[in-house]
Amino acid sequence: MAFIVLVNAALLAVLLAIPFLFDSYIVYQIGLYLIYGIAAQGIGYLWGRIGILPLGQAMFFGLSAYATARILLHFDSLSLQLILLAGVMLVAGLTAFLFASVVFKGRSDSGPFFSLITLALVIISEQVAGTATAITGGFNGLSGYNTLAGIDQFGGLYLMIVGAVIFSTVVLMSFDRVPFGLVGRAMADNEQRLQLLGFPTHIIKGAAFAVSAVFAALAGILFANHQGIVTPTSTGFLLSANLVIWTAVGGRYHVLGPLLGAVLIGYLSSELRDSFQYWEVLLAILFIVVVLKAPGGLGELVDKSVSRLLVTKKATAKRVFHDAPPGRIGNWQSAVQFNDVHVKIGPVKILNGVQFTTFPKGILCIIGPNGAGKTSLFNAITGGLRVSRGEINVDGKSISNRSPHQALRSGIGRKLQVPSVFHSLRVWENLCLSMLAGRGRIPDYFKPSSFHWQSRALQQFLSVPHIPLADRSDELVSSLAQGHRQFLEFAMTIAAEPRILLLDEPCAGLSTDETQLMTRVIKQYQTANDGLIVLIEHDMSIVKSIADQVLVLHQGKVLANGTYDEIKSNDSVRDVYAGGTK
Amino acid sequence: MSSVLILNILWQISILAMVTIGLGIVFGQLKIMNMAHGELVMIGAYAPVITASLGLPAVLQVPVCIITVGIVALILERTIIRHLYGRPFDSLLATWGVSILLREIVELLFGRGYQSVSSPLPGTMSVLGTDYPAYRIVVIIGVFAFFAILIAWYRRSAIGTEIKAMVENCELAHACGINTSRLSSLCFVFGALTAGIAGMVLAPTIRIEPMMGLDYLIRSFFSLVVGGLGSVEGLMLGVGIIGGLQSALGAAFDQTYGYLGILLLSIFFLWLRPNGIYSSR
C-alpha cells in the first residue's frame, strides 16, 4: 500500500509542477498526451498483464468522445451530464465484456484473431463515424459544445486530467496487489491450468477487456472536453496504432510505462512530424526493435535504474494463513458412470463405447497400453474432448461436453500428465490460485486478505514430512525440479478438495522415495476426503500398493476390471501386454 | 441477380483468393501471423507506378513487381521473420511494426495521395450477355488457372511433401535432411509474391495509396477464419463466402454494410466454429 501512495504522490507532484514550468500551450499539449496515456495504460494492462493485444482501442476512445460531445450539446444540467458520462463508461465496459467473452468462449489461447477483430472494429467505426453525418457530423465532426461544468480548457481541465491519471494509476497498481491481478498473470502463463482450476477464463478476459475499454472511454470523455471537437480520426485506425506504439515503447509491463510512452513519444511526434520527415519511419523501426529486443520498453529501463539506485532489503515475511471459506463444490455423489462413451478426433476413433461405473469411494487405477485411451478418457470427463456418442454421468447428471472450467463445480479435480503449473509465478502464488479455485466470490478477488487462505486439505498435505514445497514458497516455479512440480500440481489439485480426483501418472519422473511419498499423500487424501480417486499408472508396483480396483483399457474399450490379483491372472489382459492383438 | 453482379462477385473472389493464399500459407505452414501482408499487396500495386517512374515500358511491371516484393520479403525474412517461426503472437507484433514501417517508407517515396494506373487491356468483352471489362475477365481466368496448377503441383512435387513434413514436425524434418530454414524462407517469399502479384493485378482497378493494404489484410484473414486453415477447399470456401457476402451487401446497401456483414459473420464463426468450416483436423 505504502508503495502505491509513494509512487502516486511523486507522480502527482511531477504533474502539478508542469503548469509552473512551462507555458500554457505546452501544458495544453501535455494534457492531451496524458489523456492518450490513460487509454494507453488500459492497453498496457491488457497486453502486458493478460497477454491480449487490442489493436482497436481507439474505437472505445472515439465513440465515447462522440457520446460526450452529444451529451454536452443536448443537456445543460451538470448532474445529468455526469450521470450520462458515467453511463458512457459503463456502456463501453459492458460492450467490451460481452464482446470479448463471446469471442474467447471455448478457447484456451489469446491468439491473433482477437487483435485482428479489434482492428476490423476500429476501421469500421471510423467509416461509420465518417458517413453517419446525422449523428456524428460526418468529416466536419461535432463541435460547438461547452465543456463539462464550463471548465477552462487551458486551465482547470488540466487538473481534471491529472486527477484521472492518478485514478487510473492507483486502480491499475492496486490490481497488482489483489488476487484479481494474480489471476490475470496466471492466465497469460497457463490458461489450461486456470480452466481446470475452475476459472471461466473467457469471463476473466472479458472483464480485463472491459477494464481497458473503461479507461479508453474515460480518456475519450476528457478528449472531447479538451479538444472541443470530435472528428472521425479520434475513433480511427491511426490513433489505435499510435496508442499501441506508445504502450510498447513506454513499457507494457509497468503501470506508468504507457503514460511515459504517450507523453514522450506523442509529444516528440507532434514536434518533429513536420520538420523531420524520417520521424515516422524511425518510430516504426523503434517499435520493431522494442518488440524484438526490449519487450519491457522504457518502463523497464527506468525501473531497473531506480531499483539500482535504491537498494532495498528484501524482507521475506513469515506468511500467515487463515482458514479458507468452504468450497462451493456441491454435495455430489462421486461415482462416475460411463455410458457407451465414444470419442473421435477427425477420422481416428479414440474411445469406442466405454461402459463402466466406478465405485463412489476408493482408488481406481486405470492401466492399459499406450494409445488405449486413458488420458482421452480424462479429457472426456473434464471437457477437453468432445464425446460424440454416449454420455458421462455424475450423480445422475450428464457432464460430457462441458467447458473445462465447469469440471471443478461438479467436484472434479485433475492433475495432468506433464505437470501443468504456472511457471512464471512463485510457489505460494500457485498455491494461492488453487485456494481461490471454487471458493472465491467476486469481492474476494479484490481483497488482499484472500492471499492468506489455506484449506484443510492443503494444510494437511504441506505438513507431511519431506514434502518438497513447504520451504520453497518464495521460489519461482520455473526453478523447481520436475519432480517437485509434480508435487506442486498435486497440491494445487487437492487444495480445492474435489470429491473426484483424476491423477494422470502422478509418479512419472519421481525417485523411489518420492514415489512412496506421493502414494502416501494420495492415500491420505482419499482417507480424509472419502471420495473417489482415479489414477492412470503404468508402474504395476504402484498399482499393486494403491489400487482398490483396477480397470484395463484397450483400444478405447474396457477390457477388464477387478482387483489387482484378478487382473493379474486375467488371460486377455496378459495377451494384450504380451503383445497379442486381441 | 444480374450477370454484372455475378461477374463482380467472381472478380472480388478471385482477387481475394490471390491475396488470401499467401496469408494462409504463411499463417498455416509457418505459424506467422503476417500483419504486413496487406502492405505486400500495396507494394505490388505500386509496381506499375515504380515501373513508370523508372521510365521502363509497362510490360516490365511484372518483373519489377516480383523483384521489388521479392527483395522486401527476403529482407524481412532474414532480419525479422526468421526468429519468429512458430510464434504467432510475437510475429503478430513484429509484423505489425513492419506494416507501419512499409507504409511510412512508401509514403515517403510516393506521397500520401492517390495514384492510378491505366489498364493494360482496355475495352470490354461480352460475357453472360453483358459487356464486362476484358482485363477483369482475363484476371479471373488467370487466378483460377493459377490455383489449379498450384494444387496439382503441391500434391505431386517433392517440395510439397517436404513442406508437409516440416509443418508436421519441423525438428524431425530437419533431421531427415530437409533444409527447413531454406524451405521456410521459400514459403514466406512465395506467400509474399502471391500478395504482390495480387496487388499488381489489382492496380488498374483501384486507387493506389499507402493505407490500402489494411483492408485486404482484414478480409483475407476473415476468409481464413470462416474457411478454416490448412486446405485449399477451405480457403476457396472462405474466400467465396467473405468475398461474395461483401460484394452482395455492398451492392444492395453500401460498402459499410458489406464490411459490417463480414465482420459479424467472422465473430459468429469464432464464437461457434472456431476452426472454420474446413478445419484441418
Side-chain angles (χ1 to χ4, degrees):
Chain A
M1 259 338 262
F3 181 68
I4 300 182
V5 173
L6 190 75
V7 168
N8 280 287
L11 179 67
L12 188 66
V14 170
L15 293 180
L16 288 182
I18 285 174
F20 296 101
L21 297 173
F22 301 103
D23 67 50
S24 67
Y25 177 71
I26 292 182
V27 174
Y28 178 75
Q29 282 296 81
I30 288 178
L32 175 64
Y33 289 104
L34 283 174
I35 291 175
Y36 288 143
I38 295 172
Q41 278 184 314
I43 295 178
Y45 164 69
L46 196 61
W47 181 14
R49 295 290 195 275
I50 316 285
I52 306 169
L53 172 63
L55 290 178
Q57 216 61 357
M59 179 179 72
F60 296 111
F61 181 91
L63 295 186
S64 304
Y66 272 117
T68 307
R70 277 279 159 206
I71 289 167
L72 295 176
L73 271 174
H74 296 293
F75 302 96
D76 290 326
S77 140
L78 178 64
S79 52
L80 191 58
Q81 285 176 349
L82 285 174
I83 290 170
L84 287 172
L85 291 180
V88 168
M89 282 160 63
L90 192 71
V91 170
L94 277 178
T95 321
F97 174 76
L98 279 178
F99 168 73
S101 44
V102 161
V103 171
F104 282 120
K105 194 169 184 308
R107 287 180 168 268
S108 55
D109 63 341
S110 305
F113 57 90
F114 185 80
S115 309
L116 273 141
I117 289 205
T118 52
L119 178 62
L121 278 173
V122 79
I123 291 177
I124 201 162
S125 71
E126 188 174 16
Q127 259 182 30
V128 171
T131 48
T133 316
I135 307 167
T136 62
F139 285 100
N140 297 323
L142 285 179
S143 58
Y145 50 85
N146 292 317
T147 55
L148 188 63
I151 203 162
D152 179 12
Q153 285 167 322
F154 288 90
L157 187 61
Y158 180 77
L159 296 179
M160 203 196 257
I161 295 168
V162 170
V165 168
I166 297 291
F167 167 76
S168 66
T169 309
V170 168
V171 168
L172 288 180
M173 288 183 89
S174 315
F175 279 175
D176 283 346
R177 278 166 180 69
V178 292
F180 181 69
L182 182 61
V183 172
R185 286 195 289 145
M187 179 135 56
D189 185 315
N190 184 348
E191 200 173 332
Q192 193 193 16
R193 173 38 73 197
L194 208 57
Q195 287 179 343
L196 284 175
L197 286 176
F199 290 92
T201 50
H202 62 285
I203 301 285
I204 301 167
K205 285 177 177 173
F209 192 48
V211 168
S212 76
V214 168
F215 282 140
L218 173 64
I221 291 169
L222 292 170
F223 176 85
N225 281 294
H226 188 265
Q227 296 290 297
I229 180 168
V230 183
T231 61
T233 50
S234 63
T235 184
F237 162 77
L238 278 177
L239 177 60
S240 282
N242 280 329
L243 287 173
V244 170
I245 294 175
W246 296 333
T247 308
V249 175
R252 63 186 123 132
Y253 301 118
H254 205 284
V255 175
L256 292 176
L259 207 58
L260 181 71
V263 174
L264 203 69
I265 307 290
Y267 189 75
L268 275 178
S269 291
S270 71
E271 290 295 303
L272 293 173
R273 190 175 289 138
D274 300 321
S275 53
F276 177 56
Q277 57 169 340
Y278 299 106
W279 169 251
E280 305 275 356
V281 174
L282 217 65
L283 196 57
I285 293 174
L286 179 66
F287 176 77
I288 296 173
V289 170
V290 166
V291 164
L292 291 178
K293 300 287 174 202
L298 284 174
E300 196 174 78
L301 232 73
V302 174
D303 208 28
K304 263 188 191 159
S305 40
V306 167
S307 52
R308 202 169 283 173
L309 279 174
L310 313 164
V311 185
T312 46
K313 261 185 251 163
K314 261 205 179 151
T316 41
K318 180 104 181 76
R319 303 191 61 75
V320 212
F321 294 105
H322 31 85
D323 286 347
R328 288 206 302 277
I329 295 169
N331 208 1
W332 290 51
Q333 220 267 333
S334 54
V336 184
Q337 184 191 7
F338 300 95
N339 199 353
D340 192 30
V341 175
H342 284 73
V343 167
K344 281 193 290 189
I345 298 181
V348 186
K349 290 177 183 163
I350 311 284
L351 296 180
N352 302 307
V354 174
Q355 185 77 41
F356 186 72
T357 304
T358 70
F359 41 61
K361 290 166 187 178
I363 300 180
L364 172 73
C365 278
I366 300 182
I367 62 168
N370 282 326
K374 301 184 294 293
T375 301
S376 300
L377 197 67
F378 277 11
N379 282 338
I381 296 173
T382 54
L385 272 182
R386 253 193 75 78
V387 173
S388 54
R389 216 174 84 201
E391 59 180 14
I392 305 171
N393 293 315
V394 172
D395 202 18
K397 296 177 194 85
S398 169
I399 58 159
S400 33
N401 298 335
R402 297 184 306 175
S403 299
H405 72 85
Q406 289 167 314
L408 189 70
R409 214 176 295 162
S410 41
I412 303 172
R414 178 173 177 198
K415 196 200 144 319
L416 295 172
Q417 193 166 4
V418 177
S420 169
V421 286
F422 304 106
H423 289 246
S424 63
L425 304 182
R426 292 174 197 287
V427 171
W428 72 265
E429 289 173 320
N430 272 266
L431 292 174
C432 173
L433 282 163
S434 67
M435 283 320 312
L436 287 161
R439 291 172 206 277
R441 292 167 189 281
I442 290 173
D444 294 328
Y445 288 95
F446 297 93
K447 289 183 207 153
S449 63
S450 322
F451 278 131
H452 301 283
W453 287 0
Q454 196 163 56
S455 71
R456 190 180 45 82
L458 185 62
Q459 208 174 358
Q460 209 167 34
F461 172 80
L462 290 175
S463 61
V464 171
H466 310 301
I467 287 290
L469 294 176
D471 52 346
R472 291 172 198 269
S473 66
D474 277 327
E475 274 182 42
L476 278 176
V477 172
S478 52
S479 68
L480 286 188
Q482 180 79 357
H484 296 172
R485 288 182 201 164
Q486 289 281 31
F487 281 98
L488 177 60
E489 200 195 9
F490 180 78
M492 288 167 73
T493 314
I494 61 162
E497 299 177 348
R499 307 266 303 148
I500 303 169
L501 182 60
L502 309 179
L503 301 173
D504 201 341
E505 297 191 35
C507 301
L510 297 189
S511 71
T512 321
D513 286 351
E514 287 171 334
T515 303
Q516 274 178 4
L517 188 60
M518 183 62 97
T519 50
R520 199 163 70 206
V521 292
I522 292 173
K523 278 187 200 158
Q524 186 191 35
Y525 179 73
Q526 202 279 325
T527 318
N529 197 264
D530 204 20
L532 170 71
I533 296 184
V534 187
L535 188 90
I536 294 176
E537 192 48 75
H538 281 294
D539 185 337
M540 291 311 277
S541 62
I542 297 173
V543 174
K544 187 180 175 186
S545 73
I546 206 172
D548 294 317
Q549 197 180 9
V550 181
L551 179 74
V552 187
L553 278 188
H554 181 51
Q555 296 184 341
K557 276 188 189 154
V558 175
L559 183 71
N561 77 83
T563 62
Y564 176 77
D565 292 322
E566 283 166 19
I567 293 298
K568 208 178 153 192
S569 55
N570 185 313
D571 288 336
S572 48
V573 175
R574 284 179 175 210
D575 282 348
V576 166
Y577 274 93
T581 50
K582 186 181 178 289
Chain B
M1 211 192 278
S2 74
S3 42
V4 175
L5 183 60
I6 294 175
L7 286 167
N8 274 338
I9 289 178
L10 266 180
W11 160 253
Q12 288 293 346
I13 289 175
S14 45
I15 288 294
L16 193 55
M18 198 65 195
V19 177
T20 310
I21 180 79
L23 190 74
I25 289 173
V26 174
F27 190 37
Q29 319 289 315
L30 307 176
K31 299 282 172 291
I32 293 278
M33 180 63 232
N34 186 6
M35 299 293 284
H37 194 72
E39 276 57 48
L40 295 168
V41 175
M42 179 265 289
I43 293 175
Y46 269 92
V49 181
I50 298 170
T51 319
S53 66
L54 290 175
L56 297 168
V59 201
L60 287 180
Q61 55 180 263
V62 179
V64 166
C65 169
I66 291 176
I67 291 169
T68 323
V69 177
I71 289 175
V72 170
L74 211 60
I75 294 174
L76 288 183
E77 207 276 337
R78 284 289 142 92
T79 52
I80 295 166
I81 309 291
R82 168 154 296 194
H83 312 289
L84 300 171
Y85 288 130
R87 291 160 55 191
F89 195 74
D90 295 322
S91 69
L92 171 114
L93 273 177
T95 54
W96 166 257
V98 169
S99 75
I100 298 171
L101 180 66
L102 291 178
R103 271 200 302 275
E104 294 299 341
I105 291 175
V106 170
E107 207 174 294
L108 211 60
L109 292 174
F110 298 99
R112 198 170 284 193
Y114 294 125
Q115 310 263 356
S116 56
V117 294
S118 55
S119 169
L121 246 177
T124 57
M125 252 184 199
S126 182
V127 192
L128 295 174
T130 51
D131 287 334
Y132 200 70
Y135 177 72
R136 295 189 180 202
I137 300 287
V138 173
V139 169
I140 293 172
I141 295 170
V143 169
F144 280 94
F146 169 77
F147 268 84
I149 295 168
L150 187 70
I151 294 169
W153 172 81
Y154 185 69
R155 293 217 170 124
R156 295 201 188 139
S157 74
I159 293 190
T161 316
E162 287 181 3
I163 293 174
K164 279 176 215 154
M166 180 177 74
V167 172
E168 203 58 41
N169 185 339
C170 187
E171 271 176 47
L172 186 62
H174 193 67
C176 289
I178 298 172
N179 187 344
T180 49
S181 98
R182 208 189 62 193
L183 201 58
S184 302
S185 62
L186 212 70
C187 271
F188 183 78
V189 173
F190 180 77
L193 282 180
T194 54
I197 290 170
M200 181 193 72
V201 167
L202 205 57
T205 65
I206 51 157
R207 287 183 299 188
I208 305 158
E209 45 118 5
M211 294 286 284
M212 64 172 267
L214 271 175
D215 177 44
Y216 290 96
L217 170 74
I218 287 173
R219 280 195 291 152
S220 55
F221 177 76
F222 283 171
S223 303
L224 293 180
V225 165
V226 170
L229 272 174
S231 69
V232 181
E233 293 92 328
L235 185 136
M236 287 317 265
L237 209 63
V239 163
I241 291 171
I242 293 295
L245 183 70
Q246 193 182 18
S247 316
L249 284 176
F253 307 101
D254 72 66
Q255 280 309 319
T256 312
Y257 283 98
Y259 218 81
L260 261 177
I262 60 170
L263 179 71
L264 288 178
L265 187 75
S266 307
I267 293 176
F268 196 69
F269 262 87
L270 281 172
W271 179 26
L272 297 173
R273 283 212 69 154
N275 289 326
I277 297 176
Y278 254 86
S279 61
S280 53
R281 28 166 58 195

